Each structure stands twice: as structure tokens, then as C-alpha cells.
Amino acid sequence: EEVFVKYKNYKIQIVDLPGSYSLNDYTLEEKVTKSFLNNEYYDIILNVVDSTNLERNLFLTSELLALDKKMIIALNMNDEAIKEEIQIDEKQLTKILGKPCIKTSAANKEGIDLLLEEIVKKFESEKLPTKLIFSDVIEEEISNISKFFEAINFKANVTYREIAIKLLKEDKQTYKFFHDEPIWTKLQPLLNEAFEHISLHYNTKNIEDIFNEEKFAFARGAVTETVKEKGYKEKTLTEKIDSILIHKIFGLPIFLFLMWGLFQLTFEIGNIPMDIIDTFFANLIDNTKEVLGDNQISSIIADGAIAGVGAVILFVPNIVILFFGIALLETTGYMSRVAFLLDGFFHKFGLHGKSFIPLVTGFGCSVPAYMAARTLKNEKDRLLTLFIIGFMSCGARLPIYVLFTGAFFSEKNAGNVLFLIYIGGAILGLIAAKVLKIVVFKSEDEPFVMEMPKYRMPSFKLIWHTVSNQALMYLKKAGTYILAASLLIWVASNYPKHLQVEEAFNQKIELALTDEEKTSLKNELALYNLENSYLGYVGKFSEPLFAPLGFDWRMSVALETGLAAKEIVVSTLGILYGLGEENDESSKGLIDKIKANIPFASAIAFIVFVMIYLPCLAASMVFTKEAGGWKYLAYLFVFTTTTAWVLSFIAYNVVSFLVA
């Protein structure tokens, strides 16, 4: 059916398509509507929705947004919505969808002139980018496929994003087209991998069900943010749970309590196997030296490789528990709610609630966190989020925190201190975001839909996949370049040899009368060799920079090696503070060595520095790629190092004053 309307200098032709809730091929109406929208020429889509049943109607809107055309949304039956006490914030909905939303009523001709005015305005203006955002897992695969087309410079009439969405939705025409193209052989494995990843997250291989759930989550999120209903309506189970978990007063304390509980478990349960692992590696070091004898080869294997890798593996249980807790909260659909819950709070710091997902991912590992920031389509919002992800302490920093909290706090308080470190880092990140927003990334806040997936029972298959992958990545690091770094640190801390000095000390040791004197002289020799080694030179060179923070040269070296991987900080401290100790049954563990050699104020300053400074080499490379160039890495280095130094300096002096 066609209607012609004259308005201003235009003759507007309106083609009325059959009413439909979706663009599937189930009914004749759906087929006709889908065929017209995909194949016919038109200027604008006028999407008429029922204001009294907005969530159901926005399901179709999400499909229309995927077409990436000019569109206007008429919020019809506004008179009925008023009667039912339904309030729709059409301005916020306009910002969220990136399409003008106008309240109308066909029954009493309300808003018709405004609608016609918007049609003319929309026709005369350029098309704005569409704001259809999927969940992180789908967005990741859209990005991967788009980058594939970008890399081969594929010529297309539509955007790579649009092609990627159609491929993931298994659109028949798109598949038919690519099946006859030479690139299909490269594209097919990429799609297989994408479907495997997506189906694991949704626990189904039915792509139609997956995208239907995405659309419902999109619609539910948009309605949650823009619609208030005063009239009585029977609540679904999801809504009942949401009324508690995303309650404007109780929601945040519930979230903080859950995170506090997670860190308590991380320390308490993670500590149980620690002694077993520690004893195992201590025995392995002793046995290695016994078998190979007292020589350089046995020392490099035992004190270098085994001590370095052992110091890192010691913290695997803590990391597994932390990853398990975060994965558990993600798979139930709770983390999406927290993003919505924190949206208003985040806006005060210049961030968007959508930044929450990359930020909370940063508690696990900064690499996927930087990649997750792709879901933020506003360039300044994305860059701002990238700059503060490092303030969220990744799993690799956990061993350092566990080591220092174990050394300086009682077991009863260690879990609380761990929680405070993580929350403290997050708060510092928010303050840094506010400063950067005011000084560097000035822009108007841009809203997005917070997807509200339905609550699911935890998928232990997905949790196992996430936790095992992260644990294996951690162990792979321990077995590869952490091993290489440990060996390098051992060599750098043992060479060059000072033969004349050693000979003089050995003569004194032979002449010593008591075992205590001999041990003291051996430790003195080890310390002399260490201070005059290559590592000692590096430490001594940078010591003046770190001295105001209460760090000795060994702590300075540990921070510098931590630029490669944060786990290396622990293995470096293990090697540097382990040298000169007699490895017998009374040999102290690393925690005791740290406690004996590092003052309390210096330890607090060290924790603060580790919380803030540049992430590991792998994360820094991903940051550079995601931010768009090396200059951003230089900015990040200056920003994080300066902030870390200043705050560590304050922490050291405040704690020194308090304990004096």
C-alpha cells in the first residue's frame, strides 16, 4: 500500500509494508517486508512502534539497525502509554539508538507535523553511524572478520561490519556470493572458529537462537534505561532478580560484597596448596644441587631456572580462583547488570557503563581487556578506557600482592588487604579517568545500550574453558620467557666474576673459627658479588630515581624486569634475595626473606608502584595496536610512571610517619 503526502516543497511517498515483529522468513508478511528492505530502493525507514509494548517492538528495531539505513522511529500510541502510566524518555532513546525517536498518536493526530519535519530533515542530512552493538563475544568476532576483509582490501558496496554481521547470521545470499569467490578457502576457517567461540558462550549451535537472544538483550537494555512504568505489571523472574541486584541503593553494596568475598576466597583457599608447592620447589632445588654438585651449572639450574619458575608457579592456585570467580559472574549474566548499575556512577568520572566490561576483564588480563574496549564506538571514550585499564590489577600482579600481603599482614587480614589493593587501584583509575577527561579527552558523553541478557545457570563448560585457558597461558609464560628471564637475571646477577676478591674472602673463610663467622663471610661475599654484577650496576644506576620511594637497588631491578612480565618481579626478588642463603632445612621461604629485607613503608610504596605502572610487554603491544600508534604507548608510559612515582612517594612518607 502506498500513500503520498505533500509537505513543504516535497512530495513524500510512503510505502506501507506488512506489520512484522522480525525479519525472518516464517510468514508471508515477514518475507515480503524482508525482501523489500533488502532489495528495493528507498530513502528512509519509518519504524512505527507500539509505545505500550516497547520491548517487543524494539526486537524488530535491532534488526532494522543492522541494515545501516537512515531511519526514524515513531513511538506511536503515546495516548495509550499515558493512560497506562508508561513514561518513555524519547531523548535518551534517540541518543542510545542514534536514530530520532518521536512520540506520536495516530488516534488523535499527535506528533504528525513533527514526524514530517524530521523526515525532511533526515532526507536532507548525511547518514549518521548506526549504534547497533552486540555482546562482547559477537563484537569480537565481527571485528576479526572485518579485519580480515580490511587486510585483503576487499572491494564491497557495504561496510565490512555489515558483511561480518550477515556472515555470522548465516545469511544465505551472502554465503552464496562468497562461496564462489577465491577468498572462501581463507574465510571459512575464520568463520568456523567464530561459530565455535560463540556457541561455547551461548551453549547452543543454533545461530538463530543466539541472535534472537542478542536482540532481546538489546531491547531489554534499551527499555531498562529509558522506560518507567507506574502501572502494575506482573514481573518476570529476571525482573524480580534485577529489582534486587541492580537496585539503585543496594546494587552497589551487593557487587562490592561479592568482589570482597571473591578476594577472601582467592587468598584463603589459594594459600592452602601454597606450602605444598613451596616445599616441592625447595626440595627440587636442594636435590638438583645434590645431584649436580656445587658448581655454576647446578646453580644456574637450581637458583636460576627452578627458583625463578617456582616463584611464579607458587601463585597458580590464587590465579585460578580469581579467574573462576570472574568467569562465574560473567556466565550468569550478572556482569552485564553491573555495567548498567555503574553507568550513572561512571558518568561522573567521564566514563560510560560500557567501559565496565573491559575494565573488569583487566582484573584477569590486560590483553583481552584492551581488545574488549572495541565495543566502545566513540573514539575518545575508547581511548580513555584504554588508558585506565592498567589501573585494574591483572592476574599477573596478584603474585606480587600475595607475596607482600603474606609477608606484612596477618592471615586474617590478608584477604581484606588484597581486596583494598584491587578496589584502591580501581578508584585511582576512576580519578585518573576524570583528570584525563577534563585535560585530554574532552567530549560529550555518548550513551549506548547496555545489553541485558537473561540470567543463566552457570555454564561450567564455559567456565572451564576460560579458567583453563588463562591458567595454561600463565603456565606457558612461566615455562617460556619467564624461564628465559630467570636465567638471564641469574647470569646478570652472577657475572662478571671478581676472582681476586673471591680468593681473599675464601682465605678468610678458611681461617674463620666458628660456623657463624663462616656463614657471615659467605653472605658478605655473595652480597659483594651481587652488588658488583651486571644486574647490580643496572640497579645502582637507577637507584637514585627510586631511593625517595624507599626502594633498594634490588627492588628497582625487580620493577624494571617487571616491564617484560609482572610475574618476573616475583622471580627476580626470589633470585636477588635468595642469594647468599644457606639452603638447608632452616632456610627461610621467600615471604620471610622479603619481610627481613624490606621495611614496611617501602613494601607499601612498592605495592602502590606495581598497581599503577606500565603493564607487561605483551599488553603494551596490544595497547599500541588498539590505541592506534606508538605515540600513545609513549603517553601511557609517561602518564603511568609519573603517577606511580608520585603516589608511591606519598605512600612511603605517610606510612613512614605513621609507623615512626
Side-chain angles (χ1 to χ4, degrees):
E1 192 182 326
E2 292 183 18
V3 178
F4 292 90
V5 179
K6 283 190 176 179
Y7 185 77
K8 292 191 172 177
N9 298 323
Y10 289 97
K11 185 182 179 185
I12 303 167
Q13 178 191 11
I14 299 172
V15 179
D16 185 19
L17 296 171
S20 174
Y21 278 119
S22 68
L23 297 181
N24 294 320
D25 292 322
Y26 296 136
T27 65
L28 183 61
E29 288 87 350
E30 285 177 356
K31 283 180 182 175
V32 170
T33 303
K34 185 178 178 181
S35 174
F36 186 94
L37 289 168
N38 282 328
N39 303 314
E40 299 298 324
Y41 175 80
Y42 51 91
D43 296 302
I44 298 165
I45 297 170
L46 176 57
N47 177 20
V48 183
V49 301
D50 177 355
S51 293
T52 65
N53 193 6
L54 194 57
E55 189 172 317
R56 178 80 191 273
N57 281 242
L58 284 178
F59 185 84
L60 173 65
T61 304
S62 69
E63 292 189 304
L64 295 175
L65 285 170
L67 296 172
D68 203 25
K69 305 283 185 186
K70 286 184 178 182
M71 182 161 72
I72 296 165
I73 296 154
L75 301 168
N76 200 29
M77 296 173 67
N78 188 48
D79 53 328
E80 291 293 323
I82 291 166
K83 280 180 197 172
E84 292 181 29
E85 296 187 89
I86 297 167
Q87 293 177 1
I88 301 171
D89 184 346
E90 77 274 23
K91 287 180 182 173
Q92 180 69 354
L93 193 59
T94 296
K95 285 182 177 179
I96 282 171
L97 301 178
K99 307 290 178 189
C101 300
I102 294 148
K103 287 180 177 177
T104 63
S105 170
N108 56 24
K109 305 286 187 286
E110 178 199 336
I112 304 301
D113 285 343
L114 190 60
L115 190 63
L116 290 167
E117 184 65 41
E118 195 59 55
I119 288 170
V120 170
K121 193 174 158 189
K122 180 63 77 174
F123 177 73
E124 290 175 346
S125 62
E126 289 289 310
K127 195 194 86 64
L128 297 169
T130 297
K131 288 188 181 177
L132 177 65
I133 311 286
F134 296 96
S135 64
D136 293 349
V137 63
I138 306 264
E139 281 294 330
E140 190 183 325
E141 296 309 333
I142 290 170
S143 175
N144 290 341
I145 296 165
S146 300
K147 283 189 173 174
F148 166 76
F149 286 121
E150 207 177 293
I152 61 168
N153 199 18
F154 183 74
K155 300 284 183 287
N157 299 324
V158 291
T159 63
Y160 294 149
R161 180 178 174 83
E162 209 174 319
I163 299 169
I165 292 169
K166 283 186 173 178
L167 284 167
L168 289 175
K169 283 185 169 180
E170 295 183 331
D171 181 75
K172 286 174 188 172
Q173 283 182 309
T174 312
Y175 267 75
K176 197 176 177 185
F177 171 80
F178 279 108
H179 203 271
D180 301 329
E181 291 284 312
I183 61 165
W184 179 248
T185 50
K186 290 178 185 173
L187 183 59
Q188 194 178 17
L190 185 67
L191 289 171
N192 290 343
E193 208 174 290
F195 287 127
E196 199 176 312
H197 181 209
I198 292 166
S199 65
L200 184 64
H201 273 263
Y202 283 88
N203 210 20
T204 176
K205 291 194 174 180
N206 187 324
I207 209 74
E208 199 175 310
D209 285 352
I210 289 168
F211 272 95
N212 280 343
E213 193 174 320
E214 285 278 315
K215 288 170 213 162
F216 279 124
F218 175 88
R220 198 182 298 122
V223 167
T224 307
E225 290 187 54
T226 59
V227 179
K228 286 178 183 171
E229 295 187 44
K230 286 183 183 173
Y232 176 75
K233 186 183 163 196
E234 185 65 38
K235 285 185 175 180
T236 63
L237 180 62
T238 292
E239 286 168 336
K240 284 175 184 172
I241 299 169
D242 278 347
S243 67
I244 299 166
L245 292 183
I246 58 173
H247 189 275
K248 58 183 176 185
I249 296 168
F250 305 121
L252 193 57
I254 289 168
F255 168 65
L256 290 172
F257 175 75
L258 288 171
M259 294 308 284
W260 173 82
L262 176 56
F263 288 113
Q264 287 290 342
L265 288 174
T266 299
F267 198 89
E268 296 298 328
I269 298 174
N271 262 13
I272 296 167
M274 242 182 160
D275 289 338
I276 301 164
I277 299 168
D278 202 12
T279 306
F280 170 78
F281 278 100
N283 289 334
L284 189 60
I285 289 167
D286 290 344
N287 293 335
T288 304
K289 286 186 169 181
E290 211 173 288
V291 170
L292 297 175
D294 186 12
N295 53 54
Q296 290 293 290
I297 292 170
S298 78
S299 184
I300 192 170
I301 293 170
D303 297 325
I306 298 171
V309 172
V312 173
I313 289 174
L314 189 64
F315 301 97
V316 168
N318 303 92
I319 280 168
V320 166
I321 294 161
L322 183 66
F323 283 134
F324 177 82
I326 290 173
L328 185 68
L329 294 174
E330 275 179 349
T331 59
T332 54
Y334 175 64
M335 284 304 194
S336 301
R337 265 79 187 168
V338 180
F340 171 79
L341 176 71
L342 293 174
D343 187 39
F345 177 68
F346 271 28
H347 272 297
K348 290 183 176 72
F349 295 93
L351 288 164
H352 190 274
K354 200 111 176 110
S355 303
F356 172 75
I357 300 296
L359 292 179
V360 84
T361 307
F363 284 133
C365 177
S366 299
V367 172
Y370 287 133
M371 292 164 85
R374 292 172 189 171
T375 56
L376 290 151
K377 297 302 171 191
N378 179 297
E379 184 65 13
K380 286 188 175 176
D381 277 351
R382 196 171 60 82
L383 275 172
L384 180 58
T385 304
L386 286 171
F387 265 78
I388 63 159
I389 280 169
F391 284 87
M392 310 303 126
S393 291
C394 65
R397 297 180 199 199
L398 183 64
I400 307 168
Y401 301 150
V402 173
L403 176 66
F404 278 81
T405 51
F408 293 96
F409 297 93
S410 68
E411 271 191 47
K412 194 172 73 175
N413 289 323
N416 295 332
V417 173
L418 207 55
F419 173 70
L420 284 173
I421 290 169
Y422 274 80
I423 294 298
I427 290 167
L428 285 173
L430 291 175
I431 295 165
K434 186 68 176 175
V435 172
L436 288 172
K437 183 81 173 180
I438 294 166
V439 178
V440 186
F441 301 114
K442 297 169 190 168
S443 69
E444 194 186 330
D445 289 342
E446 191 170 343
F448 296 96
V449 174
M450 299 292 169
E451 292 90 358
M452 290 285 192
K454 63 184 179 187
Y455 285 105
R456 299 189 193 97
M457 287 302 288
S459 164
F460 287 101
K461 187 181 176 186
L462 179 57
I463 290 170
W464 167 252
H465 174 78
T466 307
V467 174
S468 59
N469 267 6
Q470 296 286 0
L472 284 170
M473 265 173 62
Y474 183 80
L475 288 170
K476 198 186 275 184
K477 272 204 273 182
T480 53
Y481 64 90
I482 287 172
L483 171 63
S486 297
L487 293 172
L488 189 66
I489 291 160
W490 182 90
V491 170
S493 61
N494 274 269
Y495 289 91
K497 289 290 181 190
H498 303 280
L499 298 174
Q500 286 180 320
V501 175
E502 281 190 26
E503 202 176 310
F505 263 99
N506 286 331
Q507 284 173 1
K508 284 183 184 177
I509 290 163
E510 279 177 28
L511 296 169
L513 300 171
T514 64
D515 288 342
E516 285 82 6
E517 276 182 42
K518 285 182 180 180
T519 302
S520 175
L521 285 165
K522 281 179 184 176
N523 287 344
E524 208 179 312
L525 172 61
L527 191 62
Y528 175 86
N529 282 334
L530 193 55
E531 286 183 356
N532 292 281
S533 65
Y534 295 123
L535 209 58
Y537 297 149
V538 172
K540 296 284 183 188
F541 177 76
S542 59
E543 194 174 18
L545 178 68
F546 293 106
L549 314 181
F551 302 168
D552 66 8
W553 67 269
R554 293 182 245 205
M555 293 165 81
S556 309
V557 168
L559 286 174
E560 286 153 14
T561 58
L563 289 169
K566 293 293 168 281
E567 299 93 336
I568 298 174
V569 172
V570 173
S571 52
T572 305
L573 291 170
I575 290 166
L576 295 186
Y577 286 113
L579 289 169
E581 288 284 349
E582 287 296 308
N583 286 307
D584 56 20
E585 64 281 353
S586 64
S587 181
K588 299 175 188 175
L590 181 56
I591 284 176
D592 290 330
K593 290 172 193 167
I594 294 295
K595 196 174 181 178
N597 287 280
I598 298 174
F600 182 65
S602 302
I604 298 298
F606 192 80
I607 289 170
V608 171
F609 203 97
V610 168
M611 274 165 67
I612 301 164
Y613 86 124
L614 203 69
C616 69
L617 188 64
S620 297
M621 294 303 102
V622 175
F623 169 86
T624 306
K625 192 179 172 190
E626 294 296 323
W630 291 99
K631 66 175 182 178
Y632 290 107
L633 183 62
Y635 298 151
L636 184 71
F637 177 77
V638 172
F639 171 62
T640 54
T641 308
T642 307
T643 308
W645 196 96
V646 170
L647 291 177
S648 295
F649 178 78
I650 294 167
Y652 175 68
N653 284 286
V654 168
V655 176
S656 295
F657 174 76
L658 292 173
V659 297

Coordinates of all heavy atoms in Angstrom, one line a residue, residues 599-631:
P599 N 61.7 -2.8 54.5 CA 60.9 -2.1 55.5 C 59.4 -2.0 55.1 O 59.1 -2.0 53.9 CB 61.5 -0.7 55.6 CG 62.8 -0.8 54.9 CD 62.7 -1.9 53.9
F600 N 58.5 -1.9 56.1 CA 57.1 -1.9 55.9 C 56.7 -0.7 54.9 O 55.9 -0.9 54.0 CB 56.3 -1.8 57.2 CG 54.8 -1.8 57.1 CD1 54.2 -2.9 56.6 CD2 54.1 -0.7 57.4 CE1 52.8 -2.9 56.5 CE2 52.7 -0.7 57.3 CZ 52.1 -1.8 56.8
A601 N 57.2 0.5 55.2 CA 56.8 1.6 54.4 C 57.3 1.4 52.9 O 56.5 1.8 52.0 CB 57.5 2.9 55.0
S602 N 58.4 0.8 52.7 CA 58.9 0.6 51.4 C 58.0 -0.5 50.7 O 57.8 -0.4 49.5 CB 60.4 0.0 51.4 OG 61.2 1.0 52.1
A603 N 57.6 -1.5 51.4 CA 56.7 -2.5 50.9 C 55.4 -1.9 50.4 O 54.9 -2.2 49.3 CB 56.4 -3.6 51.9
I604 N 54.8 -1.0 51.2 CA 53.5 -0.3 50.8 C 53.8 0.5 49.5 O 53.0 0.4 48.6 CB 53.0 0.5 51.9 CG1 52.7 -0.3 53.2 CG2 51.8 1.3 51.5 CD1 51.6 -1.4 53.0
A605 N 54.9 1.3 49.5 CA 55.2 2.1 48.3 C 55.4 1.2 47.1 O 55.0 1.5 46.0 CB 56.4 2.9 48.6
F606 N 56.0 0.0 47.3 CA 56.3 -0.9 46.2 C 54.9 -1.4 45.6 O 54.8 -1.5 44.4 CB 57.1 -2.1 46.7 CG 57.7 -3.0 45.6 CD1 58.8 -2.6 44.9 CD2 57.1 -4.2 45.3 CE1 59.3 -3.4 43.9 CE2 57.6 -5.0 44.3 CZ 58.7 -4.6 43.6
I607 N 54.0 -1.8 46.5 CA 52.7 -2.3 46.1 C 52.0 -1.2 45.3 O 51.4 -1.5 44.2 CB 51.8 -2.7 47.3 CG1 52.3 -4.0 47.9 CG2 50.3 -2.9 46.9 CD1 51.7 -4.3 49.3
V608 N 52.0 0.1 45.7 CA 51.4 1.2 45.0 C 52.0 1.4 43.6 O 51.3 1.5 42.6 CB 51.5 2.5 45.8 CG1 51.0 3.7 45.0 CG2 50.7 2.4 47.1
F609 N 53.3 1.3 43.5 CA 54.0 1.4 42.2 C 53.6 0.3 41.3 O 53.3 0.6 40.1 CB 55.5 1.4 42.4 CG 56.3 2.1 41.3 CD1 56.7 3.4 41.4 CD2 56.5 1.4 40.1 CE1 57.3 4.0 40.4 CE2 57.2 2.0 39.0 CZ 57.6 3.3 39.2
V610 N 53.6 -0.9 41.8 CA 53.2 -2.1 41.0 C 51.7 -1.9 40.5 O 51.4 -2.3 39.3 CB 53.4 -3.4 41.7 CG1 52.7 -4.6 41.0 CG2 54.8 -3.7 41.9
M611 N 50.8 -1.4 41.3 CA 49.4 -1.2 41.0 C 49.2 -0.3 39.7 O 48.3 -0.5 39.0 CB 48.7 -0.5 42.1 CG 48.2 -1.3 43.2 SD 47.7 -0.4 44.7 CE 46.4 0.6 44.1
I612 N 50.2 0.6 39.5 CA 49.9 1.7 38.6 C 50.8 1.7 37.3 O 50.3 2.0 36.2 CB 50.1 3.1 39.3 CG1 49.1 3.2 40.4 CG2 49.8 4.2 38.3 CD1 49.4 4.3 41.4
Y613 N 52.0 1.2 37.5 CA 52.9 1.4 36.3 C 52.6 0.5 35.1 O 51.7 -0.3 35.2 CB 54.4 1.3 36.8 CG 55.1 0.0 36.8 CD1 56.3 -0.2 36.1 CD2 54.6 -1.0 37.6 CE1 57.0 -1.4 36.2 CE2 55.3 -2.2 37.7 CZ 56.5 -2.4 37.0 OH 57.1 -3.6 37.1
L614 N 53.3 0.8 34.0 CA 53.0 0.2 32.7 C 52.8 -1.3 32.8 O 53.5 -2.0 33.5 CB 54.2 0.5 31.8 CG 53.9 0.5 30.3 CD1 53.1 1.6 29.9 CD2 55.3 0.5 29.5
P615 N 51.8 -1.8 32.0 CA 51.5 -3.3 32.0 C 52.6 -4.0 31.3 O 53.6 -3.4 30.8 CB 50.2 -3.4 31.3 CG 50.1 -2.2 30.5 CD 50.8 -1.1 31.2
C616 N 52.5 -5.3 31.2 CA 53.6 -6.1 30.6 C 53.8 -5.8 29.1 O 53.0 -5.2 28.5 CB 53.3 -7.6 30.8 SG 51.9 -8.2 29.8
L617 N 54.9 -6.4 28.6 CA 55.3 -6.1 27.2 C 54.2 -6.5 26.2 O 53.8 -5.8 25.3 CB 56.6 -6.9 26.9 CG 57.2 -6.6 25.5 CD1 57.6 -5.1 25.4 CD2 58.4 -7.5 25.3
A618 N 53.6 -7.7 26.5 CA 52.5 -8.2 25.6 C 51.3 -7.3 25.6 O 50.8 -6.9 24.5 CB 52.1 -9.7 26.0
A619 N 50.9 -6.9 26.8 CA 49.8 -6.0 26.9 C 50.1 -4.6 26.3 O 49.2 -4.0 25.6 CB 49.4 -5.8 28.4
S620 N 51.3 -4.1 26.4 CA 51.7 -2.8 25.9 C 51.6 -2.9 24.3 O 51.2 -1.9 23.7 CB 53.1 -2.5 26.3 OG 53.2 -2.3 27.7
M621 N 52.0 -4.0 23.8 CA 52.0 -4.1 22.3 C 50.5 -4.1 21.8 O 50.2 -3.5 20.8 CB 52.6 -5.5 21.8 CG 54.1 -5.6 22.0 SD 55.0 -4.2 21.3 CE 55.4 -3.2 22.6
V622 N 49.6 -4.8 22.5 CA 48.2 -4.8 22.2 C 47.6 -3.4 22.4 O 46.8 -2.9 21.5 CB 47.4 -5.9 23.0 CG1 45.9 -5.8 22.7 CG2 47.9 -7.3 22.7
F623 N 48.0 -2.7 23.4 CA 47.5 -1.4 23.7 C 47.9 -0.5 22.5 O 47.1 0.3 22.0 CB 48.1 -0.8 25.0 CG 47.9 0.7 25.1 CD1 46.8 1.2 25.7 CD2 48.9 1.6 24.7 CE1 46.6 2.5 25.9 CE2 48.7 3.0 24.8 CZ 47.5 3.4 25.4
T624 N 49.2 -0.6 22.1 CA 49.7 0.3 20.9 C 48.8 0.0 19.7 O 48.4 1.0 19.0 CB 51.1 -0.1 20.6 OG1 51.9 0.0 21.8 CG2 51.7 0.8 19.6
K625 N 48.5 -1.2 19.4 CA 47.7 -1.6 18.3 C 46.3 -1.0 18.4 O 45.7 -0.5 17.4 CB 47.6 -3.1 18.1 CG 47.1 -3.6 16.8 CD 47.1 -5.1 16.7 CE 46.4 -5.6 15.5 NZ 46.2 -7.1 15.6
E626 N 45.6 -1.2 19.6 CA 44.3 -0.8 19.8 C 44.1 0.7 19.8 O 43.1 1.3 19.4 CB 43.7 -1.4 21.0 CG 43.5 -2.9 21.0 CD 42.6 -3.4 20.0 OE1 41.5 -2.8 19.7 OE2 42.9 -4.5 19.3
A627 N 45.1 1.4 20.4 CA 45.1 2.9 20.6 C 45.3 3.6 19.2 O 44.8 4.7 19.0 CB 46.0 3.3 21.6
G628 N 46.2 2.9 18.4 CA 46.4 3.5 17.1 C 47.8 4.1 16.9 O 48.0 5.0 16.0
G629 N 48.8 3.6 17.6 CA 50.2 4.1 17.3 C 51.1 4.1 18.5 O 50.6 4.1 19.7
W630 N 52.4 4.2 18.2 CA 53.4 4.2 19.3 C 53.4 5.4 20.2 O 53.8 5.3 21.3 CB 54.8 4.0 18.6 CG 55.0 2.7 18.0 CD1 54.9 2.4 16.7 CD2 55.4 1.5 18.7 NE1 55.1 1.1 16.5 CE2 55.4 0.5 17.7 CE3 55.6 1.2 20.0 CZ2 55.7 -0.8 18.0 CZ3 55.9 -0.2 20.3 CH2 56.0 -1.1 19.3
K631 N 52.9 6.5 19.6 CA 52.9 7.8 20.4 C 52.0 7.6 21.6 O 52.3 8.1 22.7 CB 52.4 9.0 19.6 CG 51.0 8.9 19.1 CD 50.6 10.2 18.4 CE 49.1 10.1 18.0 NZ 48.7 11.4 17.3

